[in-house]
Amino acid sequence: MGTRMVYIVATLGFEERPVLRSVLRHYAEGLSGVAAIMPETGTRDERGEAALSSLRQFLAKFVGIEPVVHRVDPTRFVDAMRAIKSVLISAVGNHGAVVLVLGGGMRGLVIEALLAALLLPQDVSGQVQVEVDLEYRDAYFAFSAGDVDRVTLPRREMSVLREIVDLGGEEVELGEVVRRLGIPKTTAWKIVRRLEHMNLVRLELAERRLRVSVTLKGMLQLI
């Protein structure tokens, strides 16, 4: 996300550590704010309130900001997704770069938040990075919500994309793709430019040779 400041939106239940780890990961970039999405329940959730209190204390001491709390009813599946989607769209509109942290919340709320991110409009989804903490050490994985967008590709474009992956997927020389597929170089050039426009590949000119690398979004098209 470059040097842009980051706005963190996180599902929060009885465990605040995934949010704290994300704050530490992005602290050097600068944080424009933190929002917690919490379940709206009929009875007081002591563990959830304890996690929120711990998050507030941490942010006040180390970052100097107060988290914004959004409460949704996870039993209302569609309404919950609609509410979370609205939070994400507003966050992108106000802050630009958004990190959605999934973890520490109840499973239903996490799933609703993930689905809300995947249902974002294309002009917004690319600004939302989803982070998922794993259950050991400080490991996590991340992807852009826009990476999961499915693209309908003509057969020839799909063949070129698959060939690049088969050749390793990183810094593949366009000339090798041309040779293996037996297509004109001008045709291959037009195809990879279209793939680049759809954010499925990256192009780089190195030592007067055009090299092509597949993006995560491109890899996901082949699953």
Side-chain angles (χ1 to χ4, degrees):
M1 292 197 172
T3 58
R4 295 179 297 175
M5 295 186 72
V6 171
Y7 187 81
I8 292 177
V9 178
T11 55
L12 182 64
F14 58 85
E15 175 61 85
E16 75 280 4
R17 282 180 294 181
V19 192
L20 303 186
R21 285 194 287 263
S22 184
V23 169
L24 293 174
R25 281 196 294 267
H26 297 284
Y27 180 77
E29 299 172 67
L31 297 177
S32 56
V34 176
I37 299 175
M38 301 185 67
E40 180 68 70
T41 59
T43 58
R44 181 178 174 82
D45 180 2
E46 297 291 344
R47 294 188 301 174
E49 295 304 318
L52 178 58
S53 176
S54 177
L55 176 62
R56 280 188 167 129
Q57 292 175 21
F58 178 87
L59 293 176
K61 182 177 181 179
F62 295 103
V63 188
I65 59 177
E66 170 72 13
V68 177
V69 180
H70 302 276
R71 296 186 183 270
V72 301
D73 184 354
T75 66
R76 300 177 65 87
F77 181 62
V78 175
D79 289 343
M81 286 193 298
R82 183 180 292 115
I84 297 170
K85 181 180 176 182
S86 178
V87 168
L88 294 173
I89 291 174
S90 177
V92 169
N94 292 327
H95 303 277
V98 172
V99 171
L100 174 62
V101 181
L102 301 179
M106 65 169 58
R107 286 170 298 193
L109 192 60
V110 169
I111 292 173
E112 288 162 349
L114 174 60
L115 291 174
L118 300 182
L119 292 172
L120 289 169
Q122 288 187 353
D123 61 335
V124 175
S125 60
Q127 298 296 317
V128 178
Q129 176 173 293
V130 180
E131 291 185 355
V132 181
D133 274 63
L134 303 179
E135 286 74 19
Y136 63 96
R137 301 179 183 175
D138 293 325
Y140 75 101
F141 64 83
F143 60 92
S144 165
D147 287 337
V148 191
D149 289 342
R150 298 297 296 181
V151 177
T152 301
L153 292 175
R155 184 175 62 182
R156 180 169 285 186
E157 272 82 347
M158 183 63 80
S159 296
V160 169
L161 184 62
R162 193 178 301 278
E163 191 63 40
I164 296 169
V165 172
D166 289 344
L167 287 168
E170 290 289 334
E171 298 184 352
V172 175
E173 290 190 15
L174 184 60
E176 181 65 11
V177 177
V178 169
R179 185 186 68 79
R180 288 173 60 117
L181 292 180
I183 59 178
K185 190 171 184 178
T186 54
T187 300
W189 166 248
K190 291 177 182 178
I191 289 174
V192 295
R193 285 302 303 271
R194 288 197 292 269
L195 295 177
E196 181 189 36
H197 181 71
M198 292 183 281
N199 194 32
L200 302 180
V201 301
R202 294 186 304 274
L203 302 181
E204 179 183 1
L205 186 62
E207 299 177 353
R208 297 185 177 182
R209 294 185 178 182
L210 186 65
R211 303 179 188 273
V212 189
S213 298
V214 178
T215 65
L216 176 59
K217 182 176 180 179
M219 292 292 293
L220 294 177
Q221 305 306 311
L222 302 177
I223 293 179

